[in-house]
Amino acid sequence: MSNDMPDDAVTVDGMTARQAIDRIETAGRPRPHDRRLHARGAVYDARFVPTGHVAGLTRATHLTTETEAVIRFSNGSPKIDADDRIKGIRGMAVKFLSDGRAVADLVAANFRVFPSNTPEGFIDLVEAMAAASAADGTLADRAKSKIAAVGKIAGVLAHHPESRAGLKTFIARQPPASFATCRYDGLHAFFLVDAEGHRRAFRYRLVPQLGEIELEAAHASTLTPDFLLGELDARLNAGPVSFTLVFQLAEEGDPTNDPSIAWPEHRPLLPAGYLHVQRRSARNDEWERHVFDPTRVAPGVELSEDPVLRFRPHAYSVSAERRST
């Protein structure tokens, strides 16, 4: 797959980026100017403070010096009115800045592994999950939709067995009680590159310093469907909230081209630094128009050969084009 090809011509397993976005739009019916996924979110000012633990592994200055950043927290649904009180994807995307301009992005979600090892498998799952969350029509209509959705999800898992473990783990957890008490994983493999050109594969995760806290059902009933952003704003009035950026380092034999396979938890975990979230950004509306792209890396970090990772910027480009017209 060549990054020189037009975004709508890039193909993985017979599917172009434009076809992927077409299918997401059909399943989720987002508003024209919203993101095709993660429609509702907000951007916050932050600061990254490195620990120094990765300084010998990379020449990336944004990971080894104190750096300004902005962070977008989001509900992963394509619907702007998605319910924060029910299970679903929550996102945390980071832009490291230099003189106000992005130099590198992190894109993470509350999934431990990517739900498929192909873009096709991911789109199949998006369609099935959209059917499962449908709430139109009478009670009988909704019940029929739920039954059909269960069958659709079962079909996806039969066709994409690599999705089973990740989805099972995800379903077992409750929704987060706050954006500030959720762990977010980057899902894909990258390489740290040092000054001599030595490469070390890693994945990243953003771990809340407040700990992981799930939403209790009794408390959920007292909240509004879009409570997460307001809860975070109120929390920040009392002071910053922080996340530890953790790098999980691969060892020989750990796959770097399949994001659906978790690496063993006993692999080395290095705290690269701390992200201190400070306040809702005064440039929120401007940053909301930007793409947070996990393939935007700085010198000292390189992409793996993961086909899902390399497909993502093309899909983002198609989505951004459509929501800006």
Side-chain angles (χ1 to χ4, degrees):
M1 180 171 59
S2 171
N3 286 336
D4 296 329
M5 297 174 65
D7 293 302
D8 58 355
V10 174
T11 303
V12 173
D13 293 338
M15 183 176 65
T16 68
R18 192 164 298 276
Q19 289 169 335
I21 297 302
D22 286 344
R23 288 175 60 183
I24 289 173
E25 289 177 342
T26 299
R29 294 175 292 173
R31 301 184 310 180
H33 297 298
D34 288 340
R35 296 172 192 270
R36 274 33 190 178
L37 294 171
H38 295 265
R40 187 174 70 245
V43 180
Y44 294 79
D45 294 329
R47 191 160 192 84
F48 177 73
V49 180
T51 62
H53 293 314
V54 301
L57 297 175
T58 180
R59 64 181 190 275
T61 57
H62 71 285
L63 296 174
T64 55
T65 59
E66 195 164 332
T67 306
E68 297 293 335
V70 290
I71 298 175
R72 185 176 192 264
F73 292 97
S74 60
N75 184 305
S77 171
K79 295 184 179 297
I80 198 70
D81 59 351
D83 196 331
D84 292 336
R85 301 169 300 182
I86 64 175
K87 294 180 182 181
I89 300 297
R90 309 290 184 261
M92 180 178 176
V94 182
K95 279 187 182 297
F96 293 92
L97 307 178
S98 177
D99 296 325
R101 296 183 179 181
V103 295
D105 291 357
L106 305 177
V107 177
N110 59 331
F111 234 91
R112 295 297 184 257
V113 294
F114 200 80
S116 181
N117 55 18
T118 66
E120 174 79 24
F122 172 68
I123 301 301
D124 286 348
L125 191 59
V126 167
E127 292 172 331
M129 298 302 288
S133 63
D136 296 333
T138 66
L139 184 61
D141 290 336
R142 293 198 297 271
K144 290 178 182 178
S145 294
K146 295 293 185 185
I147 292 172
V150 169
K152 191 173 182 67
I153 291 173
V156 170
L157 296 181
H159 190 59
H160 302 284
E162 76 279 2
S163 300
R164 294 173 185 169
L167 191 60
K168 181 179 179 180
T169 299
F170 178 75
I171 291 174
R173 301 200 309 271
Q174 298 304 310
S178 169
F179 279 131
T181 62
C182 183
R183 170 181 149 182
Y184 307 88
D185 284 65
L187 307 176
H188 303 287
F190 299 82
F191 291 94
L192 293 169
V193 185
D194 67 17
E196 286 73 43
H198 301 126
R199 302 162 83 235
R200 182 72 184 267
F202 76 101
R203 286 173 172 167
Y204 58 79
R205 62 186 68 169
L206 293 150
V207 180
Q209 292 191 1
L210 293 172
E212 293 183 73
I213 303 174
E214 295 182 340
L215 184 63
E216 296 180 358
H219 182 49
S221 64
T222 70
L223 301 171
T224 60
D226 59 349
F227 80 93
L228 280 174
L229 289 174
E231 192 278 342
L232 181 58
D233 289 336
R235 187 185 291 269
L236 290 173
N237 286 335
V241 299
S242 300
F243 292 81
T244 305
L245 173 61
V246 177
F247 288 172
Q248 183 185 33
L249 302 182
E251 295 186 358
E252 186 175 356
D254 291 335
T256 57
N257 63 347
D258 188 341
S260 70
I261 299 177
W263 295 344
E265 275 300 305
H266 61 264
R267 295 293 185 257
L269 296 173
L270 284 185
Y274 307 105
L275 278 159
H276 302 298
V277 187
Q278 298 163 329
R279 67 188 69 83
R280 181 83 68 103
S281 176
R283 298 171 61 191
N284 178 79
D285 292 347
E286 176 187 346
W287 287 120
E288 276 290 282
R289 294 191 291 270
H290 284 243
V291 172
F292 289 76
D293 178 358
T295 68
R296 182 181 287 113
V297 294
V301 179
E302 293 180 357
L303 306 180
S304 69
E305 66 277 28
D306 178 350
V308 179
L309 173 64
R310 291 180 176 268
F311 188 77
R312 290 178 73 162
H314 302 288
Y316 290 165
S317 180
V318 173
S319 175
E321 174 191 351
R322 293 185 182 181
R323 64 186 171 93
S324 64
T325 57

